[in-house]
Amino acid sequence: GFSCIRSQLGHLAQMNDNPCSLTNSSAEVVLNVANTMDPSSTFLLHSSNMAATLETIMAMCSQEESGYIRRDAFRQIRNHAVRYDVDPDCRRKMVAWCYQVVDYCKFGRESVEIALSYLDRYLETEDGLEALQDRTVFQLSAMTALYTAVKIHEPEAMDPKLVSNFSRGIYSPEDVEQMELVFFRSLKWRLNPPTALSFVRQFFGLIPAEAMD
């Protein structure tokens, strides 16, 4: 199943200069590749759906490599003359904290991945440099990233007062809301990153129903 999908994506990559687009000729290539693999599969009967799904996957790949690209901010600052108080261990601790919160609140764990996309991209911005220099600001940034991800991608939002309570009063609800505005500006409102699970959902859409039995 997945080797078939991988092969089709490879053919599409060769056929298209623009990975976001799916031309008629490339759609025909996908169908031809599928036909050579399993002629009896109902997978072959839905070429239009398959083409649309592959187009979505390509668009998501393009997003990852452009507006939602993430780099290792800690590696980039390693040789800077300026002293940075935040290190990868700080990030690991906040990741663990985020998972504890979503599990406690019964949110989906995918919200943590989205929050980390916000946080990592924010740390690469000019505003994010302050968070790398001050652990208190970094902690507020990580908590706000989760707060924002939940508000946008979960059925129910967290009250800023709850986030303040999680910090044991170190940050006020107003601090959280103000940091969220900084995120919006720094991330240029790019708040819907593709996630590992979003790719998996698309890939499952390419697997024939009989293969799932």
Side-chain angles (χ1 to χ4, degrees):
F2 285 106
S3 61
C4 170
I5 294 167
R6 206 163 35 240
S7 174
Q8 292 165 20
L9 289 174
H11 277 263
L12 280 177
Q14 294 173 11
M15 288 294 298
N16 291 282
D17 292 330
N18 179 2
C20 290
S21 66
L22 186 63
T23 65
N24 290 335
S25 60
S26 62
E28 291 171 2
V29 168
V30 172
L31 184 57
N32 288 337
V33 172
N35 280 332
T36 63
M37 291 192 169
D38 186 1
S40 65
S41 175
T42 57
F43 180 59
L44 309 178
L45 302 179
H46 306 287
S47 59
S48 60
N49 291 339
M50 180 176 67
T53 300
L54 287 169
E55 185 175 13
T56 298
I57 292 171
M58 286 300 192
M60 290 162 58
C61 289
S62 180
Q63 283 183 313
E64 278 198 326
E65 297 170 358
S66 55
Y68 290 94
I69 192 168
R70 295 161 67 178
R71 300 180 180 87
D72 187 344
F74 299 106
R75 178 175 296 179
Q76 294 182 48
I77 65 173
R78 191 171 297 161
N79 297 322
H80 285 199
V82 179
R83 180 181 179 275
Y84 292 90
D85 196 35
V86 174
D87 57 28
D89 188 55
C90 297
R91 183 183 183 279
R92 281 190 291 269
K93 290 178 179 178
M94 289 311 301
V95 170
W97 179 86
C98 287
Y99 279 120
Q100 289 176 352
V101 170
V102 297
D103 289 347
Y104 174 78
C105 295
K106 308 300 183 185
F107 295 131
R109 285 193 155 206
E110 189 173 11
S111 290
V112 176
E113 184 180 353
I114 295 171
L116 292 176
S117 173
Y118 296 169
L119 180 63
D120 291 341
R121 288 184 287 124
Y122 171 68
L123 294 177
E124 297 169 22
T125 67
E126 186 175 346
D127 289 328
L129 288 176
E130 182 182 2
L132 289 170
Q133 295 171 341
D134 187 325
R135 293 191 178 193
T136 301
V137 178
F138 175 79
Q139 186 179 54
L140 174 60
S141 301
M143 296 176 76
T144 302
L146 181 62
Y147 163 78
T148 304
V150 166
K151 183 164 75 171
I152 294 174
H153 296 279
E154 294 285 352
E156 296 183 14
M158 286 194 294
D159 192 299
K161 294 180 181 178
L162 177 62
V163 181
S164 177
N165 290 339
F166 282 146
S167 75
R168 299 180 181 178
I170 296 176
Y171 313 110
S172 68
E174 293 73 24
D175 290 332
V176 175
E177 292 174 326
Q178 185 60 41
M179 178 58 75
E180 183 181 41
L181 294 177
V182 174
F183 267 58
F184 290 158
R185 181 184 68 240
S186 299
L187 300 180
K188 300 178 181 179
W189 292 88
R190 294 190 175 103
L191 304 170
N192 293 285
T195 65
L197 279 176
S198 64
F199 276 102
V200 168
R201 284 191 288 268
Q202 294 297 325
F203 289 148
F204 272 122
L206 293 175
I207 299 175
E210 63 269 22
M212 303 292 288
D213 295 335

